[in-house]
Amino acid sequence: MKNRVITISREFGSGGRTIGKKVAEQLGISCYDAELIQKLAKESGFAESYIKEAGEYTPHGFLSLAFSNRAQGPTNEDILWDLQYKVITELAGKGPCVIVGRCADYILREKADCLNVFIHADMAFRAERIVNVYGEREQSPEQRIRDKDKRRAAYHRFYTDMKWGHAQNYHITLNSGVFGIDRCVEIICGLF
Amino acid sequence: MKNRVITISREFGSGGRTIGKKVAEQLGISCYDAELIQKLAKESGFAESYIKEAGEYTPHGFLSLAFSNRAQGPTNEDILWDLQYKVITELAGKGPCVIVGRCADYILREKADCLNVFIHADMAFRAERIVNVYGEREQSPEQRIRDKDKRRAAYHRFYTDMKWGHAQNYHITLNSGVFGIDRCVEIICGLF
């Protein structure tokens, strides 16, 4: 019997990560977020590869993916993708959990019994939220949101060929700005 | 205070209409489906216009919308759209209700306090369902679904310029094939 895994994809600032953590808490299962997965992947081997191809990788350079030169072998993004793929597959094999981001919905599509969730909200809700959560930056919150969402969509599209934010790719999508974080948590827990 | 209206957009065969009816029953409010709205619109004036431009209108000709010649004035589709627009606005003004299809989400976006829902399901679930509900046809169920969804998406896009099935356009989207009709009804009623 495959493990039950909740995957959460989300627009930047929509509270998807917070929702994931709260869902995991309520259900008493683990929550792995995008940063943690990236960290685990790097620890498991990225450091070496990074040294070999130093300079090409930029932590926020996903938009340039399509233009990377693969003629000389895999890019650092590709290596990191492979490592994340392995880490996510391993985590899902350990037991029921919540995984936020990193295309876990795609990676686990035949490996786990997934509940695939997408969280979004309107610009005003997200702009206010990212300033509260991450603080002010030189760039406007709206510009930060547009940049980050573009990167997520491009990353998702490049590695999965699935359309990010398309209802048909998820079992449920929720507007956290309208329902609020806690109501979203409640609905997702009810469906687990 | 604006009336609370649940709008349901749906893929063909996903059970969106059934869900709408059951939600309305449980909440004790009216349910208006696409066919009813079209009927009301026609009764309220389409017949005359139809006679004037007889022949151009085909009940299932929405895909040809973009190619209709508007140089000679509004097409019958445009006239029907205007009438539906008025009918939907009037119905939403009468009291809380469920409206299935006909771009009600777009029409009521500033006129009612809407809960915008999109229902979808995978092809196998829908194919089985349309044969059970509407019977066999010469065309395969899969082909009927693809044709109908294409028409709905084109119709929606043409009159609203919103992307049909894009999570961000709805407050909640649900996969009825995974959760089942009754679970979807329960979730929507809980959010009303």
Side-chain angles (χ1 to χ4, degrees), chain A residues 38-125:
Chain A
Q38 195 154 16
K39 189 172 163 279
L40 291 172
K42 281 187 183 173
E43 280 171 4
S44 75
F46 190 69
E48 272 179 69
S49 327
Y50 178 72
I51 292 162
K52 274 201 296 195
E53 295 183 55
E56 185 175 343
Y57 174 76
T58 53
H60 295 297
F62 293 128
L63 271 186
S64 64
L65 278 176
F67 311 107
S68 293
N69 184 0
R70 285 181 166 70
Q72 293 160 28
T75 63
N76 271 314
E77 292 95 340
D78 291 342
I79 294 166
L80 185 57
W81 167 259
D82 285 346
L83 292 170
Q84 287 179 169
Y85 196 102
K86 278 180 210 152
V87 168
I88 287 173
T89 306
E90 276 172 31
L91 293 174
K94 280 189 190 171
C97 60
V98 176
I99 301 182
V100 181
R102 302 289 98 182
C103 307
D105 49 345
Y106 172 80
I107 293 170
L108 298 175
R109 68 202 180 289
E110 282 159 9
K111 300 190 187 75
D113 176 18
C114 289
L115 173 65
N116 300 133
V117 180
F118 182 76
I119 305 290
H120 62 96
D122 65 29
M123 188 56 93
F125 175 86

Side-chain angles (χ1 to χ4, degrees), chain B residues 120-136:
Chain B
H120 62 98
D122 65 29
M123 188 55 94
F125 175 87
R126 297 194 284 149
E128 197 189 321
R129 214 176 158 278
I130 67 163
V131 171
N132 287 337
V133 176
Y134 306 104
E136 294 274 3

Side-chain angles (χ1 to χ4, degrees), chain A residues 11 165 167-168 171 173 183 190, chain B residues 11 165 167-168 171 173 175 183 190:
Chain A
E11 287 186 337
Q168 285 89 338
H171 298 127
T173 78
R183 195 65 190 270
Chain B
E11 287 185 338
Q168 285 90 338
H171 298 128
T173 77
N175 182 324
R183 196 63 190 270

Side-chain angles (χ1 to χ4, degrees), chain A residues 1-13:
Chain A
M1 162 92 187
K2 289 171 175 179
N3 281 319
R4 191 113 174 89
V5 176
I6 299 175
T7 71
I8 298 188
S9 308
R10 73 290 180 225
E11 287 186 337
F12 182 51

